[in-house]
Amino acid sequence: MFFNYQCEIPPSTAVINAAWSPSHPIMAVSTNDARVYLFHEEGELDQEAEITRSCEASHLAWHPTLKLCAMAWQDGTISVYNEATHSMREDSGIHSSPVTILKWSPQGTRLVSADEDGIVGVWKVDNKGKISIMCKYDRSSAVTHLVFRTDSSFNQNGIVENIRFFFACANGDVDFADDHGVCVDALQMKGTVESLLFWEESSSIVIITRSLLLSVLKFSEEGHIDQQLKVKVSITLPENGQLQAGWAGSGVLAISGADPYIRLFNIKEQSNMNLFLPDASRGEYLTSIDYNGSKQSIAGCTTSGALITWTYGSDAPTATCTDADQWITSQVTTLKGMIRKVIWGPGKSLLAATQQKTAFIFNEASMQHVMKDKVAVFQTSPTDLVINNQDALYGTMFLTTDIPVKGLDCNSKHVLVWNRKMCQSYAFAAGSTSLDSIAKWESPAMSISLENDQFYQVVDNNVEVCNLSGKVKQTLTFDPEHEGIPTIVNANGGLLAVATNKNILRLFDTSRKMVKAVGGIRPFESQLGDPLGIVESIAVNIDGTKVSCMASQIVGADQSRRPDSCIHILDVEKDIFDTYDFGNRVPISQVWDSVEAKLLNCETRLLKGVKSTSEEASSSSSGSTSIIADILLQELNKTQEESENVQNTLDVATLLVTSDGHVILQDSFAIDEEQYQGLVASHIPQLFFASVPQQVFGASSSTGQVSVVPQLKSKTMRDFVGMEDVDADTRDAMLNFSYYLTIGNMDEAYKTVRLIKSSTVWENMAQMCVKTNRLDVAEVCLSNMGHARGVRMLREARKDSEPEAQMAMVAVQLGMIEDAKRLYSACQRFDLLVQLHMANGDFEEAINVASKYDRIHLKNTYYAYAQHLEQQKMTAEAIKYYEKSDTHRDEVPRMLFKMGAIDELVAYISSSHDPKLLSWWAQYLESAADLQGALQFYEAAQDFAAVVRVLTRNGQASEALVVVNTTGDKAAAYQLARHLEDKDDIQNAIHLYTQADSFTHAIRLAKVHEYEDELLQLALRSSPSLQLDAAKHFEEIGSLENAIMLYQKGGNLSKALEISFRTGEHKALAKLADELDDNADPRLLEKVASFFVEHEEFEKAAQMFINAKNFDNALRTCLEHKVPITDEMTERMIIPSTGDEEQDNDEQLKLYVLIAKCYKSQKNYDLAAKYFTKADNKVKAVQCLIKTGDTKKIIFFANVSHEQQVYIVAAHFLQQCDWRNDKNVLKAIITFYTKARVPESLAAFYESAAQYEIDEYSEYEKALGALKEAVRHASKSKSDNMEQLVQMYSHKKSLVERFVRAQQCAQSDPEEMVKICEQLMMESDVESSVRVGDIYNQLIEHYHIQGDDKRAISLLDEMESKNITLDFYVNQELIDEIYQTEGRQTQAKSNQPMYGGIGGMGGFIDEDDIDEIEDEDY
């Protein structure tokens, strides 16, 4: 319900702009008479606020938290009005043209203004409204839009670090600036910017241009721009207006233009939907929209004066909405004329709309109701109340108040109403049906709670204690900075609880004359210090020991509020919160019982559009679960499932709040929304509800006419049904029994009720035991109530294994059918649940359960239902369910015969097309000698065998043959074959037996009557047993070829081979051999193999020998007759086990050697190596690999063999390979000799390598390196001639080392070089290490360089005299040059090749690699 208030604006003026304060119910309105008016929430003008200048105020902006209103005037002046002090500060030094933008920063620390000349000013404003400029920016174009960057302006402590914002200019420029004088060009848009928004969740800006292009741009801290999205918006631009765009949730844009709808665009999902105007007239469109995040509601106004709201009807964040049906449309009002602007006020209830000449404030309020001390008060209109006093002296009364009511409270003596401006108190007049007004006074109280003869109200930052005349008796002060501002009060049981806007609870003792604080401040937090949410409502129990709190949670990037599914109870004595979570439900009201202090009743509703955050509700404080909690929670979930498609499904949950910190669900039930509006009060054993309003005559005190008013309705609590009028002691005993039963304390539970004698009470307690699933206590209750049948059924029920099934049977005996159904469902005994439904006559539900959960008994259920329908004479329905139970073939004829409905039976059988039914009726007719009718139904049933039987019985064999040939029915053919056999028509009988696939009879006749050809053809088509039988017959009559073929087909190959050998049928034998395998008789296989050898079919012979496990003969055959042996053959050569594992292994190894030799003889060296390896003869294996010449395989095999001899053989072979140009081969040689531990062989390899370097490349330095290695490795030898080897290699090394020294001295010390060379030439064995020709070459080159060519020629002549080829050692060009110098003729060149150093020992691996190998192996 919206209260409509028109603002008091002079009629001759026009409204220019309007703005709500975000945190206070104050609205500023600027008009064309150069004034700004301030209005409160009910439209009354603030007379003290006189704000006027010489020009109009074009823009208004309220501080986020303070009562400061910033105003921008047409002359460029910026002013800030302080509503608290009614003072104004202004500055006109920045802007000289009309201001276009005026906005506060999110925390209110800065104010930003901009004008048509492109001047942007950043202002600093203190708490009193003093304004001072911080910086300004000058742009060449008018500023049209501005948005603050809200994702990184504040540090972790909430202290302002840097205010940053984007602003757009008329020329399409978008700039980025802060409050420290930094302003940069961000980007240039193509076209005028129509809307500029900041998306905090994505740290992006959203821009919509005049061309309706929507862009999402992400700005990094370094200034890089990343375009996230670019789409075209499908909307119509107003001709003379501006596009309306704003956030409607996290990532959801609401956009409106000249269309009769609002387009919602989900940026993250890139989906959109339309919210249409209800009953829009032609040309009507939205002129303004505004979104309320806390209410999740969009308000819009139209050109025809309609004011409409769209509220998101789900508890999920708005961003998750993808269905327009989730939005609930409500029309607030329709004003005369176009509405220009609509704006939401602070909170959820205030809405304002402006027209050309006036402004309206709409204040949303719900109808109030309250009940205390048996007095219930219901609000029926803004000023009308209905009072229902349970005291018979008063009854029902009606009251019209002097003020619009927004809040009310009552007790047994008084009624108190208020509306944040005025407050009025009433008292019940003795002996009268009316109320007397006590007083009426001004009160800005936000929250009031009445207790006895005084009340407590929240005023500004304090809580005032007042009497019923409005006089303040005491003021309770609060520290706004640390405690917050009081928002909610509730008093009961001598305790006052106060909640503040900072989620702080403070408690006060009201039992004394002066109200005193109890304890300190209590943050709304768990024991671990985690926030529990935002306090929305509080309630104190009857003895002031508990305070319950309902809360909401902030969710989503848009910081919207979502109802909390938990209720939190503060234990006043322990000062801790206990929490109960309703799972997928949320509490919407809380009522403590007015008698029992530990009983709390909560009205809950189903969360809409939100999945449960917990699988089950439990007490989070204690961590324990109650016995009844799981069962009752199943009821809650069941209620949810049944009502998931119904909005606002309501439940009432009863909680027990124990003294030890447990919050336990005791009971839960759904509210019939057609009867009840909501929970009002709890007075054990009754719960009181406000009923759906009904017509009452004389209900209005002012008119006395018919009025629609709510009534007070009561509902007995579950544990007290049938005991509403018991005495107080019994009531207390029942309550304690229920309490102790719920917490599982059975001893105390029994003690509380053991003296009760009433069978009704015991029956009620037995029903409670069913609810709590306590079989042991239920037996005691049944005994005390004298329910013998119930006790017997309980004992019988204990035979079932599931406790729930046992308790379900007790529930049945107590008439608690619904509980029995629940228990059977809980233990998944759906078979028993189906039986229960059937016993109650609820067959449709039984079928439903069976079809879903108990399909094994589904047909039984159909059958039982059919029997039930038969008893009810519902024949058609009975037939239907007999058919579903698949018993109709027997039951339907029985039923119709029993009823004497033969015609209906014939019609049913004829129309059913069921072969069994048709055959049954045909048999009946045949038994009645109605052969023609029998034939008709046999044909309809397609029982052609019966047709043939009837025809042959009548002597109509030709007609029977036509039936057989036409239908091809095998049974019919068999029937006719038997008839023809009886008539000695053997040929046709055999044919028909064959057609019927009855080969046994066909072969029998063929054998008896010696139809050999037919016998062979039949045998080939028949089963193996018949083939063998026919083969034996052919053998007996001497038709051996047919016998062999049939023995083979029948699987008796041995017999076929035996006959083949006996008769010499070689072709047949060869064909039979292809089917022999390892499972055949070895003697037979060897016999066949010998046959193949004789006929020189050696390959088949080898296969037969292998099948016979005679591998020696198989391999001998392959070797002698050069039969290629294959991998498939060798894989089958596995020695059969003899039980002696060692012997089996030896035999298998010998076989592998034979196989390897066979492969080797066939030059298949790879497979030979494989089987030598299997035979554990790796030396032979590597020798086979050597024959392949594959060095990679040889190296790999040697590496994995780990045998010394294999290393040596492989290394010897690799020396013959091109190890000089293949580093891997060289490394392998060294590695293998090293791993084989034969250093003398390695030394010899190095010595040969050194000699090769000298002979082939004259690389003496490399040769010297190799000889050093030879000496080093020879010294490691353990052979007897180690010293001789070392001496030999050392001597060679010495000679080569001397020559290398000579080569090195050729430049630095030529004389030393000559001396060394001459000494070497004197050595007798120098040729074994150093070639003499190389020594001569060294000297000749030296003498030529020195210019002593005569000496050089002398050395050349000396070489010739020793038969040393000159050009092999000396460069031919050098020889020619020396001869020409001395005038001698050049000699002819020799045919010896000239070698150069093209690699040589360069092929050796590095010494580091050698050391590494040695470190590994020595």
Side-chain angles (χ1 to χ4, degrees), residues 464-517:
E464 295 177 345
V465 183
C466 306
N467 61 22
L468 291 176
S469 298
K471 182 179 179 181
V472 178
K473 297 164 54 179
Q474 184 181 350
T475 300
L476 309 177
T477 61
F478 285 75
D479 181 1
E481 184 176 353
H482 297 94
E483 298 176 338
I485 300 172
T487 55
I488 308 171
V489 293
N490 187 264
N492 198 10
L495 184 74
L496 169 66
V498 182
T500 72
N501 63 346
K502 289 192 174 182
N503 293 312
I504 298 293
L505 288 183
R506 285 196 62 187
L507 307 178
F508 298 88
D509 183 2
T510 63
S511 61
R512 303 177 184 180
K513 185 176 181 180
M514 295 298 294
V515 176
K516 293 186 178 180

Side-chain angles (χ1 to χ4, degrees), residues 503-561:
N503 293 312
I504 298 293
L505 288 183
R506 285 196 62 187
L507 307 178
F508 298 88
D509 183 2
T510 63
S511 61
R512 303 177 184 180
K513 185 176 181 180
M514 295 298 294
V515 176
K516 293 186 178 180
V518 177
I521 63 174
R522 182 64 177 89
F524 190 50
E525 298 173 349
S526 67
Q527 296 184 52
L528 300 177
D530 298 325
L532 297 175
I534 299 173
V535 179
E536 299 287 352
S537 172
I538 59 175
V540 181
N541 70 343
I542 190 62
D543 62 0
T545 57
K546 307 285 184 182
V547 180
S548 59
C549 304
M550 294 194 306
S552 61
Q553 302 291 335
I554 299 296
V555 295
D558 58 349
Q559 299 292 291
S560 60
R561 290 190 182 185

Side-chain angles (χ1 to χ4, degrees), residues 1018-1142:
L1018 290 170
L1020 289 174
R1021 294 174 59 187
S1022 63
S1023 65
S1025 61
L1026 292 176
Q1027 289 172 347
L1028 294 175
D1029 183 63
K1032 184 178 180 181
H1033 173 76
F1034 279 118
E1035 185 181 3
E1036 290 174 352
I1037 65 176
S1039 181
L1040 299 180
E1041 185 177 354
N1042 290 339
I1044 290 171
M1045 180 170 57
L1046 290 176
Y1047 274 128
Q1048 178 190 1
K1049 290 285 186 181
N1052 194 344
L1053 292 176
S1054 300
K1055 188 68 175 177
L1057 288 168
E1058 179 186 342
I1059 297 174
S1060 297
F1061 279 121
R1062 190 169 70 238
T1063 61
E1065 293 286 344
H1066 295 163
K1067 292 183 179 179
L1069 185 60
K1071 187 176 180 181
L1072 291 171
D1074 293 337
E1075 298 187 20
L1076 294 174
D1077 56 15
D1078 296 354
N1079 298 320
D1081 185 358
R1083 290 175 297 178
L1084 178 62
L1085 290 169
E1086 290 192 7
K1087 190 175 180 180
V1088 174
S1090 300
F1091 169 82
F1092 284 132
V1093 171
E1094 291 174 4
H1095 290 78
E1096 298 184 354
E1097 295 188 30
F1098 303 112
E1099 186 172 351
K1100 290 186 176 181
Q1103 292 288 354
M1104 291 298 107
F1105 279 128
I1106 292 174
N1107 289 342
K1109 309 297 182 184
N1110 192 341
F1111 303 130
D1112 290 341
N1113 283 343
L1115 293 172
R1116 187 181 299 110
T1117 301
C1118 292
L1119 286 171
E1120 291 177 358
H1121 302 288
K1122 298 182 180 179
V1123 176
I1125 185 169
T1126 64
D1127 233 357
E1128 185 270 334
M1129 295 170 63
T1130 55
E1131 291 295 335
R1132 295 170 54 201
M1133 294 184 185
I1134 301 175
I1135 298 296
S1137 176
T1138 61
D1140 187 343
E1141 185 177 351
E1142 184 176 354

Side-chain angles (χ1 to χ4, degrees), residues 531-683:
L532 297 175
I534 299 173
V535 179
E536 299 287 352
S537 172
I538 59 175
V540 181
N541 70 343
I542 190 62
D543 62 0
T545 57
K546 307 285 184 182
V547 180
S548 59
C549 304
M550 294 194 306
S552 61
Q553 302 291 335
I554 299 296
V555 295
D558 58 349
Q559 299 292 291
S560 60
R561 290 190 182 185
R562 170 184 163 183
D564 192 357
S565 62
C566 298
I567 191 163
H568 311 276
I569 296 103
L570 175 65
D571 188 309
V572 176
E573 182 179 352
K574 296 180 180 179
D575 196 32
I576 59 173
F577 280 102
D578 299 315
T579 298
Y580 186 84
D581 191 349
F582 289 98
N584 55 0
R585 310 190 70 84
V586 292
I588 57 176
S589 68
Q590 51 187 344
V591 175
W592 287 97
D593 192 83
S594 60
V595 177
E596 178 53 54
K598 55 179 173 285
L599 207 60
L600 174 63
N601 298 277
C602 295
E603 185 179 359
T604 67
R605 67 168 173 81
L606 190 67
L607 276 170
K608 301 183 289 293
V610 180
K611 293 182 178 179
S612 173
T613 57
S614 60
E615 292 297 323
E616 61 181 26
S618 61
S619 174
S620 62
S621 60
S622 62
S624 63
T625 58
S626 70
I627 299 170
I628 195 174
D630 292 340
I631 300 172
L632 294 178
L633 190 59
Q634 291 173 8
E635 293 183 349
L636 277 172
N637 294 334
K638 181 180 179 182
T639 303
Q640 172 197 351
E641 293 175 1
E642 294 174 349
S643 310
E644 60 184 357
N645 296 323
V646 181
Q647 293 184 349
N648 300 325
T649 301
L650 301 178
D651 273 9
V652 171
T654 301
L655 304 176
L656 279 176
V657 184
T658 67
S659 57
D660 56 355
H662 291 76
V663 182
I664 303 170
L665 179 66
Q666 187 199 35
D667 189 19
S668 174
F669 60 89
I671 298 177
D672 186 353
E673 296 183 60
E674 294 182 358
Q675 299 184 32
Y676 304 122
Q677 280 188 324
L679 179 65
V680 177
S682 170
H683 185 87

Side-chain angles (χ1 to χ4, degrees), residues 921-939:
W921 187 245
Q923 290 171 2
Y924 171 77
L925 293 176
E926 185 180 0
S927 67
D930 185 0
L931 299 183
Q932 194 63 34
L935 280 174
Q936 178 184 351
F937 277 94
Y938 277 137
E939 289 176 357

Side-chain angles (χ1 to χ4, degrees), residues 753-772:
V753 296
R754 61 183 177 180
L755 299 179
I756 295 176
K757 301 299 181 181
S758 172
S759 60
T760 304
V761 174
W762 284 109
E763 181 179 1
N764 191 274
M765 288 190 291
Q767 293 175 354
M768 291 170 58
C769 292
V770 172
K771 293 288 187 181
T772 56

